[in-house]
Amino acid sequence: MTKKVKGIISNQLRKKRFEKDEMTQQELAKVLGVTRQTIAAIEAGKYSPSLEVAFCLTDIFATTLDELFQWQANESESDKD
């Protein structure tokens, strides 16, 4: 058996927006070139951003990836190969 690693990505995006002059989702979306719905989905943990968007977010908020995004792994067993 092999183990599959799955996990949950959480983020501090909403907190960082409010720390940056209470930036709205719409304002952030415009800077990134994405929709407000994309920002809402990332904040809610329903969507993981591309690496490009993730790195852009770190530039916008002058932070690091590991401060903005957190990974919590859950190992589960899968079927035999």
Side-chain angles (χ1 to χ4, degrees):
M1 283 192 188
T2 60
K3 289 186 177 183
K4 280 188 176 178
V5 178
K6 293 187 176 187
I8 298 170
I9 297 176
S10 58
N11 66 75
Q12 301 299 314
L13 189 52
R14 185 172 188 272
K15 176 184 172 190
K16 294 293 184 184
R17 280 194 307 105
F18 280 92
E19 290 174 354
K20 189 168 179 80
D21 300 324
E22 297 187 12
M23 177 184 264
T24 66
Q25 289 179 340
Q26 186 62 47
E27 291 168 334
L28 181 56
K30 185 175 182 179
V31 171
L32 288 171
V34 300
T35 65
R36 185 202 59 78
Q37 291 84 352
T38 298
I39 301 301
I42 293 170
E43 286 184 4
K46 294 180 179 180
Y47 175 75
S48 297
S50 68
L51 280 173
E52 182 179 358
V53 169
F55 281 116
C56 287
L57 287 167
T58 63
D59 286 346
I60 291 166
F61 297 113
T63 190
T64 61
L65 276 175
D66 62 334
E67 187 176 331
L68 191 56
F69 296 97
Q70 297 78 44
W71 169 257
Q72 184 177 24
N74 297 320
E75 289 187 13
S76 62
E77 292 187 16
S78 65
D79 295 320
K80 289 184 180 180
D81 292 337

